[in-house]
Amino acid sequence: MTLIEKSRVKSPWVLHFDTGSCNGCDIEILACLTPKYDVERFGILNKGNPKHADVLLVTGPVSKRAKERLKRLYEQMPSPKMVIACGTCACTGGVFHNCYNIEQGVDKVIPVDVYVPGCAAKPEAIIDGVIEALTKLQKLQEESHRKKEVK
Amino acid sequence: MSISLSEFEITFNNRKVWRARVIKKIAEDHSIAMDAGLLALLLVLVPVIMGFLSLAARKISVQKVVVGVTAAAMIILSLALFWEMYSSGTTELAFDADEIDVSGLVVPAALLITVLDFALMLYFMYIGVRWKNAVVVAFAVLQLVPLAVLEYLEFGHAISPSIVIDYLSVIMALVISIVGSIIIVYSLKYMEADKRQARFHSIMILFLGAMNGAVFSNNILWLFFFWEVTTLCCFLLIGHERTKEANESALRALVYTLGGGVAFAFAIVLIWLQMDTLSLEEVLDSGGVAAWSIAPVALMALAAFTKSAQVPFQSWLLGAMVAPTPVSALLHSSTMVKLGVYLLLRISPAIAWETSLMWLVASVGAISFLATSILAVMQTNAKRVLAYSTIGNLGLIVMCVGINTSFAISAALVLLIFHAISKALLFMTVGVVKHEAHTLNIEDMENLRCRLPFVAGAMLIGIFTIMLPPFGMFAGKWLIVEAAGSGFPVVLILLAIGSAVTALYYAKWMGRVMSVGATCELPDAIRSKLSGIYKLTLGALVACAVALSLLVFQVVQYLVNPYVALVFGEAPLGDFDLIIPLIVMLFIFGGVVLLTVLLVRIRPEIVSTAYLGGENFDYTLAGAYYDKRVPDAGVTYIFNFAATVVIVAMMMIAILTGVL
Amino acid sequence: MDWWVLLLIQIAVIIAAPFAVAVLLGIDRIVTARMQNRVGPPVWQTLYDFFKLVGKKPMLLNRPQVIFAMLYLTFSVFAFVLFVFGLDLIIIFFASAAGSVFLVVGAFSVRSPYSHMGANRELLQITAYEPVLLLALLTIGIQGGSFVVTDLYKAGDLILTLPLVFVALIVVLVIKTQKSPYDVATAHQEIVSGPYVEYSGPYLAMTKLGHWFELALIFGIFTLFFNSDNLLVSALVKLLLIAVALLVAQIVDNATARLTKERMIKFTASFGIIAIVANYTVIYILQSAGVI
């Protein structure tokens, strides 16, 4: 693994976006940043700016208004990027599934890499989800290496 | 027609020890000296004659030819003068020009100047009466009476030499002629729609002649005459628009500069009474041994302060911004206000006679610099920002003169040259923006890069050359070193704060002009086509600014050092090491810009939008409003008070040294 | 020693400096974490951040933004290079100041509200710390007898004669390392990232590298305060000075909240300048009285 690829796994900067959530999952995400769970030891920093972020943590069922904003934020993130849907609302619409005012989950709007279920998702689960995303990134990088070697 | 000087004298000057001079030999053939003197005379006479021609010509096309010819002639003459001085190796030439022989017709120059001087003072009185301003009348009378008495007492007494050409004069003549010529060509296009163009152009050209006369004069009365002529030109040009505001500003300028003239007149009388001479050289060589020798120096410094609009006299320069932009570019940034600091530079050996006077002069400069830096932050009118910036830079030069070491005077000369070019460039770009975009507000200059790309580029280069080290203003570096070594700590603090604040308002302005999207999507109707004359004049000044920044070592070696060596006996800026890092910085700057422009390709897929929290709406970007934070009037009041205290102290020192 | 050996050492220092600063910043993060009862990232975290940014796909708004980021980087490097080669402090200061202004203009050159706000705040920060830095450098030069860095290294014990200048420089360090209470420009909760908001990927890496060289210069200026003929003692005390300065900045950072920009200017202008002036006056008096 090259230095840059290792650094991508070692330093995921997070952008958190709430698309209409009840704030339950948002509070849990915030709890991850506190000393009790301390995600900074994985190099995770909460950046408010999509241009600086690698990982997009989305909570909430995507309301119609939030759909455009979510898309724009996703586009403003430079690749390589990962999207994690936190909480059941983000995964499938959750409690609000089939309501008229929401898109039924984040993957209807942008491509999602990891789904973290739960209502609200536990901080341990969220951290697990981020690690899952990083593992996926690592696997994707190794695959692209193998493809280059085959060629 | 041939013009010759009758009764010329070339003097080699052996001076006393306190002021060592470098003695240079020139060839036995006196033609070189004559050529230089001839060029100097032409530099004064050509503009005067052309000025009257321009006034007489009624057709615009004739005026354009006159202005163009004058500009070309001035540039060639001033460069020829520099070449004469350089190739002959002289550092100082002195002449008598009391009578000029024009193929047999003897023109009594000295008599002519005296007569014109008194006519001028009477005209000032008439202006005061006509505009019902008692102060102007009083000042004119206060100038007239002592000088009349002086003329009566010294009538027939020849002052020798009457013209001195040294490198200080050459530097000033180059600045006046080259920058001035570019500005008068620019004003041809700028004042196109004006109905009283003939008057405008003729006064501008005449003014250039007066400035040249002032920097070549050794006879203090002649210097005073040319000084007052520039005051008159300033009054006439500020009032050109004939609106109520213009007339008020013109009168205010007249009051302040005439007040300085009164101080100057008293200084002349004191010099005559004390030292029995009216030659600047003899005054400076006297070494300050005469009893009342500090008082005239302090009075002349006061006159210089009014002319250069130092705090507390700055309000006339601010008001003068109502004048058309070429006037602001020529008079109020690169030439007329430089006459005040020229006088200070000329009498700088005399300022060194009294240490407290040095300190006080430096304080006035430092207070002006800090005051105007802070006040400029609060302005959004581009011309007011530039006016404050001018006063600030002149304050730096005044500070250098106050510190009065060889390093400091070198720094002052370098500052003078580079500031004249950059400030004239900035004023000219602001003028074009006013004509094409109809705004002087910095906040409105947002899309300038799209609408007027050439002008925006010139404006940016102007701001770069004034503010950033790789370009001309690195002279501030020596200023700081000198201030550190001279033991004037308060001055140092004001300088440090002032220079940081200067960066603030210039960067703010630059940011406003820079901000634009990835591509310019403006309809062609808004894109203006720039006139050829604007491109020529702006391009010429940009080329000067960049070229001189590259050639700064040569500028120092061939223009600055000869004068500093003359006055101090040593030329400290010969050290190549000091200038290499700055040249390297310049190349790094150019290299990085070039490389990035070539290497970074704007492909559509990498262009993104601004981060607005995911939103997408139309917005206008507002600037930072500093004027709401700190009150303009309060700051002005504090600094005016401080500077007044310093000037009063200066006058008291002058009186006390005379009495004790 | 031979000139080429010295040159090699100097080049090695220049190349090692950003790595050293990155490690220092990593240690900084660990100490902060421990103060906050957390574990904290590994020491190399800042380097991982940097290389990750380099590997991102570039994204920009317009070309001048990149031009000015590059200029900021090159001028910061140039100022540090001048310092390592031991040249004149005032020119070094000017080069560094020019670099800071280029960053600000780069932030202005994009049509983004956060960027403009950040740029204005950055300008105010510069207005706050530059006079203090300049006066500190001048006092060091006057006291040390020369403005050239190679001469100042022979001066020896500036920390004993100029302690208040050292303290004033710690205030400058707090602002430069973007720590509370004066992280006004990159106030994360208020204006997201200030002047850096529209930079991403490799361009953000450029600005980060420039910032590291700026910090390297400030740490270098801290090392001027002590020198001795014994190389080991000299190196240890210099490191100690840097560590003390950074630790004080840290403690202040963790103990305070962000203050307004007006208070920043007022504080640095009053405290910083008064401290330096007081130090200089005391030294001047003591030297004229012949005590020192």
Side-chain angles (χ1 to χ4, degrees), chain A residues 3-4 6-8 10-11 13 35 38 40-41 43 45-46 48-49 51-54 75-76 78-79, chain C residues 29 36 38-42 45 48-49 51-52 55-57 59 61 188 192-193 196-200 204:
Chain A
L3 178 60
I4 292 185
K6 181 174 179 200
S7 304
R8 282 198 197 123
K10 283 279 193 177
S11 157
W13 284 357
D38 186 26
E40 203 188 341
R41 56 201 156 106
L45 283 176
N46 183 23
N49 179 6
K51 301 194 175 164
H52 292 185
D54 310 298
E75 279 156 19
Q76 281 182 353
S79 45
Chain C
R29 280 171 79 169
Q36 292 171 352
R38 299 186 281 126
V39 173
Q45 187 59 43
Y48 288 142
D49 293 339
F51 285 115
K52 173 209 70 174
K56 286 213 137 195
K57 189 161 158 248
M59 185 193 282
L61 261 64
H188 177 89
V192 189
S193 303
Y196 305 101
V197 76
E198 300 298 339
Y199 287 102
S200 65
L204 186 63

Short mmCIF file of all heavy atoms in Angstrom, two decimals, chain A residues 3-4 6-8 10-11 13 35 38 40-41 43 45-46 48-49 51-54 75-76 78-79, chain C residues 29 36 38-42 45 48-49 51-52 55-57 59 61 188 192-193 196-200 204:
data_model
loop_
_atom_site.label_atom_id
_atom_site.label_comp_id
_atom_site.label_asym_id
_atom_site.label_seq_id
_atom_site.Cartn_x
_atom_site.Cartn_y
_atom_site.Cartn_z
N LEU A 3 2.01 5.25 0.43
CA LEU A 3 1.86 6.18 1.55
C LEU A 3 0.52 6.91 1.48
O LEU A 3 -0.18 7.06 2.49
CB LEU A 3 3.03 7.17 1.51
CG LEU A 3 3.02 8.25 2.58
CD1 LEU A 3 3.06 7.64 3.96
CD2 LEU A 3 4.18 9.19 2.37
N ILE A 4 0.17 7.35 0.26
CA ILE A 4 -1.08 8.11 0.12
C ILE A 4 -2.27 7.23 0.45
O ILE A 4 -3.21 7.65 1.15
CB ILE A 4 -1.18 8.70 -1.30
CG1 ILE A 4 -0.12 9.78 -1.46
CG2 ILE A 4 -2.55 9.26 -1.55
CD1 ILE A 4 -0.18 10.51 -2.76
N LYS A 6 -2.33 4.62 2.41
CA LYS A 6 -2.37 4.40 3.86
C LYS A 6 -2.93 5.63 4.57
O LYS A 6 -3.71 5.51 5.51
CB LYS A 6 -0.96 4.08 4.36
CG LYS A 6 -0.91 3.80 5.83
CD LYS A 6 0.47 3.34 6.27
CE LYS A 6 0.44 3.10 7.77
NZ LYS A 6 1.76 3.11 8.37
N SER A 7 -2.50 6.82 4.08
CA SER A 7 -2.95 8.05 4.74
C SER A 7 -4.45 8.22 4.59
O SER A 7 -5.10 8.74 5.49
CB SER A 7 -2.24 9.26 4.13
OG SER A 7 -0.86 9.10 4.22
N ARG A 8 -5.00 7.79 3.46
CA ARG A 8 -6.46 7.93 3.28
C ARG A 8 -7.20 7.14 4.33
O ARG A 8 -8.23 7.59 4.85
CB ARG A 8 -6.87 7.40 1.90
CG ARG A 8 -6.59 8.34 0.82
CD ARG A 8 -7.36 8.02 -0.42
NE ARG A 8 -6.75 8.69 -1.54
CZ ARG A 8 -6.31 8.11 -2.62
NH1 ARG A 8 -6.42 6.80 -2.75
NH2 ARG A 8 -5.77 8.79 -3.60
N LYS A 10 -5.95 6.28 7.24
CA LYS A 10 -5.58 6.73 8.58
C LYS A 10 -6.15 8.09 8.93
O LYS A 10 -6.05 8.52 10.07
CB LYS A 10 -4.05 6.83 8.67
CG LYS A 10 -3.35 5.55 8.81
CD LYS A 10 -3.38 5.12 10.25
CE LYS A 10 -2.42 3.99 10.49
NZ LYS A 10 -2.41 3.63 11.90
N SER A 11 -6.71 8.81 7.96
CA SER A 11 -7.11 10.19 8.26
C SER A 11 -8.42 10.53 7.57
O SER A 11 -8.44 11.28 6.60
CB SER A 11 -6.00 11.14 7.79
OG SER A 11 -6.50 12.39 7.58
N TRP A 13 -11.61 12.53 7.31
CA TRP A 13 -12.25 13.73 7.86
C TRP A 13 -13.73 13.67 7.54
O TRP A 13 -14.14 13.35 6.43
CB TRP A 13 -11.61 14.97 7.25
CG TRP A 13 -10.27 15.26 7.83
CD1 TRP A 13 -9.64 14.58 8.82
CD2 TRP A 13 -9.41 16.31 7.43
NE1 TRP A 13 -8.42 15.14 9.07
CE2 TRP A 13 -8.25 16.21 8.24
CE3 TRP A 13 -9.49 17.33 6.49
CZ2 TRP A 13 -7.20 17.10 8.12
CZ3 TRP A 13 -8.43 18.21 6.37
CH2 TRP A 13 -7.30 18.08 7.19
N PRO A 35 -14.67 12.79 24.85
CA PRO A 35 -13.60 11.94 25.38
C PRO A 35 -14.01 10.50 25.67
O PRO A 35 -13.18 9.61 25.68
CB PRO A 35 -13.20 12.65 26.67
CG PRO A 35 -13.53 14.07 26.42
CD PRO A 35 -14.73 14.07 25.55
N ASP A 38 -14.00 9.15 21.86
CA ASP A 38 -12.74 9.65 21.31
C ASP A 38 -12.40 9.11 19.92
O ASP A 38 -11.51 8.27 19.77
CB ASP A 38 -11.60 9.36 22.27
CG ASP A 38 -10.31 10.01 21.81
OD1 ASP A 38 -10.39 11.02 21.09
OD2 ASP A 38 -9.24 9.50 22.14
N GLU A 40 -10.97 10.74 17.68
CA GLU A 40 -9.80 11.39 17.11
C GLU A 40 -8.62 10.44 17.07
O GLU A 40 -7.68 10.64 16.29
CB GLU A 40 -9.44 12.65 17.89
CG GLU A 40 -8.63 13.61 17.00
CD GLU A 40 -8.06 14.79 17.77
OE1 GLU A 40 -8.56 15.08 18.87
OE2 GLU A 40 -7.12 15.41 17.26
N ARG A 41 -8.70 9.36 17.90
CA ARG A 41 -7.57 8.43 17.82
C ARG A 41 -7.52 7.70 16.50
O ARG A 41 -6.49 7.13 16.14
CB ARG A 41 -7.61 7.43 18.97
CG ARG A 41 -8.87 6.65 19.07
CD ARG A 41 -9.02 6.08 20.48
NE ARG A 41 -10.43 5.85 20.73
CZ ARG A 41 -10.99 4.65 20.75
NH1 ARG A 41 -10.25 3.57 20.58
NH2 ARG A 41 -12.29 4.53 20.96
N GLY A 43 -7.96 9.42 13.83
CA GLY A 43 -7.65 10.50 12.90
C GLY A 43 -8.90 11.20 12.39
O GLY A 43 -8.83 12.04 11.50
N LEU A 45 -11.64 13.85 12.18
CA LEU A 45 -11.89 15.23 12.59
C LEU A 45 -13.22 15.65 12.00
O LEU A 45 -13.52 15.32 10.85
CB LEU A 45 -10.80 16.16 12.08
CG LEU A 45 -9.47 16.16 12.81
CD1 LEU A 45 -8.51 17.07 12.08
CD2 LEU A 45 -9.66 16.65 14.24
N ASN A 46 -13.97 16.41 12.78
CA ASN A 46 -15.25 16.86 12.27
C ASN A 46 -15.04 18.18 11.53
O ASN A 46 -14.88 19.23 12.14
CB ASN A 46 -16.23 17.04 13.43
CG ASN A 46 -17.60 17.44 12.94
OD1 ASN A 46 -17.95 17.19 11.78
ND2 ASN A 46 -18.37 18.08 13.79
N GLY A 48 -16.59 21.02 8.98
CA GLY A 48 -17.91 21.44 8.55
C GLY A 48 -17.98 21.72 7.06
O GLY A 48 -18.99 22.20 6.57
N ASN A 49 -16.92 21.44 6.35
CA ASN A 49 -16.79 21.94 4.98
C ASN A 49 -16.63 20.75 4.04
O ASN A 49 -15.70 19.97 4.21
CB ASN A 49 -15.55 22.83 4.95
CG ASN A 49 -15.29 23.38 3.60
OD1 ASN A 49 -16.05 23.22 2.68
ND2 ASN A 49 -14.17 24.07 3.51
N LYS A 51 -15.54 20.45 1.17
CA LYS A 51 -14.30 20.44 0.40
C LYS A 51 -13.13 19.90 1.19
O LYS A 51 -12.11 19.53 0.62
CB LYS A 51 -13.98 21.85 -0.06
CG LYS A 51 -15.09 22.35 -0.90
CD LYS A 51 -14.76 23.56 -1.68
CE LYS A 51 -15.98 23.84 -2.56
NZ LYS A 51 -16.02 25.10 -3.11
N HIS A 52 -13.24 19.89 2.52
CA HIS A 52 -12.16 19.34 3.31
C HIS A 52 -12.45 17.91 3.74
O HIS A 52 -11.60 17.26 4.32
CB HIS A 52 -11.96 20.18 4.57
CG HIS A 52 -11.44 21.55 4.29
ND1 HIS A 52 -11.10 22.42 5.28
CD2 HIS A 52 -11.22 22.20 3.15
CE1 HIS A 52 -10.68 23.55 4.76
NE2 HIS A 52 -10.75 23.44 3.45
N ALA A 53 -13.68 17.38 3.48
CA ALA A 53 -14.10 16.13 4.11
C ALA A 53 -13.93 14.94 3.17
O ALA A 53 -13.96 15.08 1.95
CB ALA A 53 -15.56 16.24 4.55
N ASP A 54 -13.75 13.74 3.78
CA ASP A 54 -13.69 12.50 3.01
C ASP A 54 -14.94 11.66 3.21
O ASP A 54 -15.34 10.93 2.33
CB ASP A 54 -12.50 11.64 3.46
CG ASP A 54 -11.23 12.44 3.48
OD1 ASP A 54 -10.85 12.90 2.41
OD2 ASP A 54 -10.66 12.59 4.56
N GLU A 75 -21.60 16.64 -4.20
CA GLU A 75 -20.79 17.04 -5.36
C GLU A 75 -19.60 17.89 -4.97
O GLU A 75 -18.57 17.87 -5.63
CB GLU A 75 -21.65 17.82 -6.36
CG GLU A 75 -22.49 16.94 -7.24
CD GLU A 75 -23.70 17.70 -7.76
OE1 GLU A 75 -23.67 18.95 -7.71
OE2 GLU A 75 -24.66 17.05 -8.20
N GLN A 76 -19.75 18.68 -3.89
CA GLN A 76 -18.65 19.54 -3.51
C GLN A 76 -17.55 18.79 -2.76
O GLN A 76 -16.54 19.38 -2.43
CB GLN A 76 -19.16 20.70 -2.64
CG GLN A 76 -19.81 21.78 -3.47
CD GLN A 76 -20.28 22.94 -2.62
OE1 GLN A 76 -20.23 22.88 -1.40
NE2 GLN A 76 -20.74 23.98 -3.27
N PRO A 78 -14.47 16.35 -2.75
CA PRO A 78 -13.57 15.77 -3.74
C PRO A 78 -13.42 14.26 -3.48
O PRO A 78 -13.46 13.81 -2.35
CB PRO A 78 -12.26 16.52 -3.50
CG PRO A 78 -12.33 17.00 -2.11
CD PRO A 78 -13.75 17.16 -1.75
N SER A 79 -13.28 13.49 -4.55
CA SER A 79 -13.08 12.05 -4.37
C SER A 79 -11.63 11.79 -3.99
O SER A 79 -10.78 12.60 -4.30
CB SER A 79 -13.43 11.32 -5.66
OG SER A 79 -12.87 11.98 -6.75
N ARG C 29 -1.33 17.75 19.47
CA ARG C 29 -2.66 17.14 19.52
C ARG C 29 -2.77 16.09 20.61
O ARG C 29 -3.80 15.95 21.28
CB ARG C 29 -3.00 16.52 18.17
CG ARG C 29 -3.48 17.53 17.14
CD ARG C 29 -3.59 16.96 15.77
NE ARG C 29 -4.80 16.18 15.59
CZ ARG C 29 -5.22 15.76 14.42
NH1 ARG C 29 -4.52 16.04 13.35
NH2 ARG C 29 -6.29 15.04 14.32
N GLN C 36 -7.57 16.68 27.85
CA GLN C 36 -9.03 16.55 27.83
C GLN C 36 -9.45 15.14 28.20
O GLN C 36 -10.58 14.74 27.93
CB GLN C 36 -9.56 16.89 26.44
CG GLN C 36 -9.39 18.35 26.12
CD GLN C 36 -9.71 18.65 24.67
OE1 GLN C 36 -9.91 17.75 23.87
NE2 GLN C 36 -9.74 19.92 24.33
N ARG C 38 -8.51 12.29 27.00
CA ARG C 38 -8.71 11.38 25.87
C ARG C 38 -7.39 10.70 25.54
O ARG C 38 -6.38 10.97 26.16
CB ARG C 38 -9.15 12.15 24.62
CG ARG C 38 -10.44 12.89 24.73
CD ARG C 38 -10.85 13.50 23.41
NE ARG C 38 -10.15 14.71 23.11
CZ ARG C 38 -9.48 14.92 21.99
NH1 ARG C 38 -9.43 13.98 21.08
NH2 ARG C 38 -8.88 16.06 21.78
N VAL C 39 -7.42 9.82 24.56
CA VAL C 39 -6.18 9.15 24.15
C VAL C 39 -5.44 9.96 23.11
O VAL C 39 -4.24 10.16 23.17
CB VAL C 39 -6.49 7.73 23.61
CG1 VAL C 39 -5.24 7.10 23.05
CG2 VAL C 39 -7.09 6.90 24.71
N GLY C 40 -6.15 10.43 22.10
CA GLY C 40 -5.51 11.23 21.08
C GLY C 40 -4.97 10.42 19.91
O GLY C 40 -4.82 9.21 20.01
N PRO C 41 -4.70 11.11 18.79
CA PRO C 41 -4.25 10.42 17.59
C PRO C 41 -2.79 10.03 17.71
O PRO C 41 -2.09 10.48 18.60
CB PRO C 41 -4.45 11.47 16.49
CG PRO C 41 -4.26 12.76 17.21
CD PRO C 41 -4.78 12.56 18.60
N PRO C 42 -2.29 9.19 16.80
CA PRO C 42 -0.85 8.90 16.79
C PRO C 42 -0.05 10.15 16.42
O PRO C 42 -0.58 11.09 15.85
CB PRO C 42 -0.70 7.82 15.72
CG PRO C 42 -1.93 7.87 14.93
CD PRO C 42 -3.01 8.38 15.83
N GLN C 45 -0.06 11.73 12.90
CA GLN C 45 -1.37 12.00 12.33
C GLN C 45 -1.36 13.17 11.34
O GLN C 45 -1.97 13.12 10.29
CB GLN C 45 -2.38 12.30 13.45
CG GLN C 45 -3.80 12.42 12.97
CD GLN C 45 -4.27 11.17 12.29
OE1 GLN C 45 -4.02 10.06 12.75
NE2 GLN C 45 -4.90 11.32 11.16
N TYR C 48 -0.18 12.05 8.07
CA TYR C 48 -1.21 11.28 7.36
C TYR C 48 -2.22 12.22 6.73
O TYR C 48 -2.64 12.04 5.58
CB TYR C 48 -1.94 10.34 8.32
CG TYR C 48 -1.14 9.17 8.79
CD1 TYR C 48 -1.24 8.71 10.10
CD2 TYR C 48 -0.28 8.51 7.93
CE1 TYR C 48 -0.52 7.63 10.53
CE2 TYR C 48 0.46 7.43 8.36
CZ TYR C 48 0.33 6.99 9.68
OH TYR C 48 1.05 5.92 10.11
N ASP C 49 -2.64 13.25 7.51
CA ASP C 49 -3.59 14.22 6.96
C ASP C 49 -3.04 14.85 5.69
O ASP C 49 -3.73 14.99 4.68
CB ASP C 49 -3.86 15.34 7.98
CG ASP C 49 -4.61 14.85 9.21
OD1 ASP C 49 -5.26 13.79 9.11
OD2 ASP C 49 -4.54 15.52 10.24
N PHE C 51 -0.69 13.80 3.57
CA PHE C 51 -0.58 12.95 2.38
C PHE C 51 -1.93 12.54 1.85
O PHE C 51 -2.12 12.35 0.65
CB PHE C 51 0.29 11.73 2.69
CG PHE C 51 1.73 12.07 2.75
CD1 PHE C 51 2.43 11.97 3.94
CD2 PHE C 51 2.39 12.55 1.63
CE1 PHE C 51 3.76 12.32 4.00
CE2 PHE C 51 3.71 12.89 1.68
CZ PHE C 51 4.40 12.78 2.87
N LYS C 52 -2.91 12.41 2.75
CA LYS C 52 -4.25 12.13 2.25
C LYS C 52 -4.73 13.26 1.36
O LYS C 52 -5.31 13.06 0.30
CB LYS C 52 -5.21 11.95 3.43
CG LYS C 52 -6.63 11.84 2.97
CD LYS C 52 -7.60 12.34 3.97
CE LYS C 52 -7.54 13.83 4.10
NZ LYS C 52 -8.59 14.32 5.00
N GLY C 55 -3.41 13.23 -2.05
CA GLY C 55 -3.94 12.21 -2.92
C GLY C 55 -5.36 12.44 -3.40
O GLY C 55 -5.92 11.63 -4.11
N LYS C 56 -5.95 13.56 -3.00
CA LYS C 56 -7.34 13.78 -3.41
C LYS C 56 -7.42 14.35 -4.82
O LYS C 56 -6.47 14.94 -5.32
CB LYS C 56 -8.00 14.76 -2.45
CG LYS C 56 -8.31 14.16 -1.11
CD LYS C 56 -9.56 14.77 -0.55
CE LYS C 56 -10.40 13.69 0.05
NZ LYS C 56 -11.75 14.07 0.31
N LYS C 57 -8.56 14.17 -5.42
CA LYS C 57 -8.75 14.73 -6.76
C LYS C 57 -8.86 16.25 -6.66
O LYS C 57 -9.56 16.77 -5.81
CB LYS C 57 -10.05 14.15 -7.33
CG LYS C 57 -10.26 14.45 -8.75
CD LYS C 57 -11.27 13.50 -9.37
CE LYS C 57 -11.85 14.15 -10.61
NZ LYS C 57 -13.23 14.52 -10.54
N MET C 59 -9.82 20.10 -6.99
CA MET C 59 -11.08 20.79 -7.21
C MET C 59 -10.84 22.27 -6.93
O MET C 59 -10.31 22.61 -5.89
CB MET C 59 -12.14 20.24 -6.26
CG MET C 59 -13.51 20.80 -6.46
SD MET C 59 -14.59 20.39 -5.10
CE MET C 59 -14.96 18.73 -5.51
N LEU C 61 -12.01 26.66 -7.75
CA LEU C 61 -13.02 27.59 -8.21
C LEU C 61 -12.50 28.46 -9.35
O LEU C 61 -13.21 28.75 -10.29
CB LEU C 61 -13.48 28.48 -7.05
CG LEU C 61 -14.77 28.05 -6.37
CD1 LEU C 61 -14.60 26.72 -5.71
CD2 LEU C 61 -15.20 29.07 -5.36
N HIS C 188 -13.81 27.68 13.54
CA HIS C 188 -14.52 26.58 12.91
C HIS C 188 -16.02 26.68 13.04
O HIS C 188 -16.76 26.50 12.08
CB HIS C 188 -14.02 25.26 13.51
CG HIS C 188 -14.74 24.09 12.95
ND1 HIS C 188 -14.33 23.43 11.84
CD2 HIS C 188 -15.88 23.48 13.34
CE1 HIS C 188 -15.16 22.45 11.59
NE2 HIS C 188 -16.12 22.46 12.47
N VAL C 192 -16.66 28.24 9.37
CA VAL C 192 -16.24 26.96 8.82
C VAL C 192 -14.72 26.81 8.75
O VAL C 192 -14.13 26.18 9.57
CB VAL C 192 -16.89 26.68 7.46
CG1 VAL C 192 -16.62 25.28 7.04
CG2 VAL C 192 -18.38 26.88 7.58
N SER C 193 -14.07 27.42 7.77
CA SER C 193 -12.60 27.33 7.81
C SER C 193 -11.94 28.64 7.44
O SER C 193 -10.75 28.68 7.20
CB SER C 193 -12.07 26.26 6.84
OG SER C 193 -12.63 25.05 7.11
N TYR C 196 -9.43 29.22 4.33
CA TYR C 196 -9.12 27.95 3.68
C TYR C 196 -10.35 27.25 3.13
O TYR C 196 -10.25 26.14 2.62
CB TYR C 196 -8.44 27.00 4.66
CG TYR C 196 -7.20 27.57 5.30
CD1 TYR C 196 -7.23 28.07 6.59
CD2 TYR C 196 -6.00 27.60 4.61
CE1 TYR C 196 -6.10 28.60 7.18
CE2 TYR C 196 -4.86 28.12 5.20
CZ TYR C 196 -4.92 28.62 6.47
OH TYR C 196 -3.80 29.14 7.05
N VAL C 197 -11.53 27.89 3.24
CA VAL C 197 -12.76 27.14 3.00
C VAL C 197 -12.90 26.64 1.57
O VAL C 197 -13.46 25.59 1.33
CB VAL C 197 -13.98 27.98 3.43
CG1 VAL C 197 -14.28 29.04 2.40
CG2 VAL C 197 -15.18 27.13 3.66
N GLU C 198 -12.37 27.41 0.59
CA GLU C 198 -12.57 26.97 -0.79
C GLU C 198 -11.38 26.20 -1.33
O GLU C 198 -11.32 25.90 -2.51
CB GLU C 198 -12.85 28.19 -1.69
CG GLU C 198 -14.08 28.96 -1.29
CD GLU C 198 -15.35 28.13 -1.40
OE1 GLU C 198 -15.34 27.13 -2.12
OE2 GLU C 198 -16.33 28.49 -0.72
N TYR C 199 -10.43 25.90 -0.49
CA TYR C 199 -9.28 25.10 -0.92
C TYR C 199 -9.57 23.66 -0.60
O TYR C 199 -10.07 23.34 0.46
CB TYR C 199 -8.01 25.53 -0.20
CG TYR C 199 -7.46 26.84 -0.68
CD1 TYR C 199 -7.66 28.00 0.04
CD2 TYR C 199 -6.76 26.91 -1.87
CE1 TYR C 199 -7.17 29.20 -0.41
CE2 TYR C 199 -6.26 28.10 -2.33
CZ TYR C 199 -6.46 29.25 -1.59
OH TYR C 199 -5.99 30.42 -2.03
N SER C 200 -9.25 22.75 -1.51
CA SER C 200 -9.47 21.34 -1.21
C SER C 200 -8.34 20.53 -1.80
O SER C 200 -7.65 20.99 -2.70
CB SER C 200 -10.79 20.87 -1.78
OG SER C 200 -10.74 20.93 -3.17
N LEU C 204 -5.22 22.51 -0.70
CA LEU C 204 -5.23 22.65 0.75
C LEU C 204 -3.92 22.14 1.33
O LEU C 204 -3.38 22.73 2.28
CB LEU C 204 -6.41 21.87 1.34
CG LEU C 204 -6.64 22.03 2.83
CD1 LEU C 204 -6.96 23.47 3.15
CD2 LEU C 204 -7.76 21.13 3.30
#
